[in-house]
């Protein structure tokens, strides 16, 4: 079965193509910041999007990565862009087959972040807090753990307001629902984005814009401290944070 992941972005294909090929722009939507001054993310971007790209066609807007995942961009009737990732079939890289579903979840999350970053912020600089790993209770929902269980069944575009367990009152709308994931806008975090759920070791990804150092530090401390109390014992995963100005 062919696995495809799609997102439609309200921006022209040329602009979205640049977001896929310029490492400085890629770091504003792909993954999350980790390592000294985000150096871990920069190294990951270089490995995936620069050093090992077997096929690149700027005119046709086709990009094939080392693991044979294929990006194609298609202009929509209203001048936007449909981004489609066609995943390599299982078995194409046996070393990664055990992580196939996790990688699919990762691409799903990152395309949501790409769309949000382009449409809402023009791919401005961001800061991130990533809660990676899994809850100690395997039957628990990350939304419930965060105190956001009430949004689980809300459709895209629905407003919400809730007090999250880490101590913040969150307010915004349901931005996207994709697979196991829910993405919520967060007005109080500089029109930020909270992506919750999914698999692949992603508990929650919090993206903030225009947040002063002291406020970011406070948010980072509360969210990561809470996560340490509910996640599985440290197995190399944990809470990872970084961003411009860190």
């Amino acid at each position: 079965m062919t696995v495809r992941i799609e997102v439609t972005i309200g921006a022209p294909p040329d602009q979205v193509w640049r977001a896929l090929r310029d490492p400085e722009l890629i770091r504003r939507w792909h993954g999350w910041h980790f390592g000294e001054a985000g150096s871990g993310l920069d190294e990951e971007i270089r490995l995936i999007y620069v050093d090992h790209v077997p096929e690149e066609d700027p005119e046709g807007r086709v990009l094939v990565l080392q693991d044979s995942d294929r990006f194609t961009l298609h202009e929509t009737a209203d001048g936007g862009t449909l981004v489609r990732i066609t995943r390599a079939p299982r078995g194409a890289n046996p070393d990664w087959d055990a992580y196939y579903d996790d990688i699919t979840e990762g691409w799903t999350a990152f395309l949501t972040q790409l769309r949000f970053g382009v449409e809402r912020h023009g791919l401005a600089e961001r800061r991130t807090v990533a809660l990676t790993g899994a809850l100690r209770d395997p039957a628990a929902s990350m939304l419930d753990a965060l105190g956001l269980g009430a949004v689980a069944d809300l459709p895209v575009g629905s407003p919400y307001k809730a007090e999250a367990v880490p101590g913040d009152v969150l307010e915004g709308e349901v931005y996207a629902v994709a697979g196991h994931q829910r993405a919520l806008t967060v007005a109080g975090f500089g029109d930020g984005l909270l992506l919750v759920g999914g698999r692949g070791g992603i508990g929650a990804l919090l993206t903030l814009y225009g947040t002063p150092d002291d406020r970011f530090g406070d948010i980072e401390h509360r969210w990561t401290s809470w996560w340490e109390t509910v996640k599985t014992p440290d197995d190399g995963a944990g809470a990872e944070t970084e961003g411009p100005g860190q």
Side-chain angles (χ1 to χ4, degrees):
M1 180 181 69
T2 301
V3 176
R4 294 186 178 90
I5 309 159
E6 296 183 348
V7 66
T8 299
I9 300 174
D14 286 348
Q15 180 180 345
V16 178
W17 179 259
R18 288 194 297 274
L20 293 176
R21 303 310 301 130
D22 182 342
E24 181 56 37
L25 297 179
I26 295 170
R27 78 189 312 272
R28 301 179 187 186
W29 62 268
H30 175 94
W32 53 86
H33 303 92
F34 63 99
E36 183 67 27
S39 60
L41 176 60
D42 292 334
E43 182 178 347
E44 180 175 292
I45 288 170
R46 186 169 57 253
L47 180 67
I48 295 173
Y49 296 95
V50 179
D51 293 345
H52 303 285
V53 177
E55 181 181 345
E56 177 179 0
D57 177 4
E59 289 189 9
R61 303 189 185 100
V62 175
L63 177 68
V64 180
L65 303 181
Q66 182 183 28
D67 59 4
S68 298
D69 287 345
R70 182 181 184 89
F71 285 70
T72 55
L73 274 55
H74 309 270
E75 186 169 7
T76 61
D78 60 358
T81 305
L82 171 67
V83 182
R84 176 181 295 130
I85 299 176
T86 303
R87 297 240 38 226
R90 292 180 189 270
N93 186 339
D95 292 340
W96 287 100
D97 270 5
Y99 308 101
Y100 193 91
D101 292 337
D102 295 349
I103 294 170
T104 298
E105 288 292 325
W107 281 131
T108 301
F110 301 161
L111 285 190
T112 297
Q113 294 183 154
L114 171 62
R115 177 190 161 209
F116 185 80
V118 169
E119 291 185 346
R120 304 283 282 255
H121 294 281
L123 282 186
E125 294 277 7
R126 60 175 181 153
R127 307 179 87 158
T128 58
V129 178
L131 308 183
T132 60
L135 290 164
R136 291 180 185 176
D137 180 358
S141 154
M142 188 66 177
L143 280 172
D144 287 336
L146 280 167
L148 301 173
V151 310
D153 297 321
L154 294 179
V156 171
S158 298
Y160 80 94
K161 184 175 182 179
E163 183 171 357
V165 174
D168 296 280
V169 175
L170 307 183
E171 185 173 6
E173 67 179 23
V174 179
Y175 181 73
V177 176
H180 303 278
Q181 302 172 11
R182 297 291 184 276
L184 311 173
T185 66
V186 185
F189 291 167
D191 186 30
L193 185 72
L194 173 61
L195 197 149
V196 181
R199 300 171 181 170
I202 300 174
L205 299 178
L206 182 59
T207 301
L208 304 91
Y209 295 89
T211 308
D213 288 353
D214 56 350
R215 181 144 193 267
F216 178 80
D218 178 58
I219 294 168
E220 169 194 55
H221 174 73
R222 283 186 285 102
W223 283 67
T224 57
S225 296
W226 166 77
W227 183 236
E228 289 298 321
T229 68
V230 298
K231 75 179 185 71
T232 54
D234 196 3
D235 57 359
E240 298 176 302
T241 64
E242 249 308 331
Q246 284 294 99

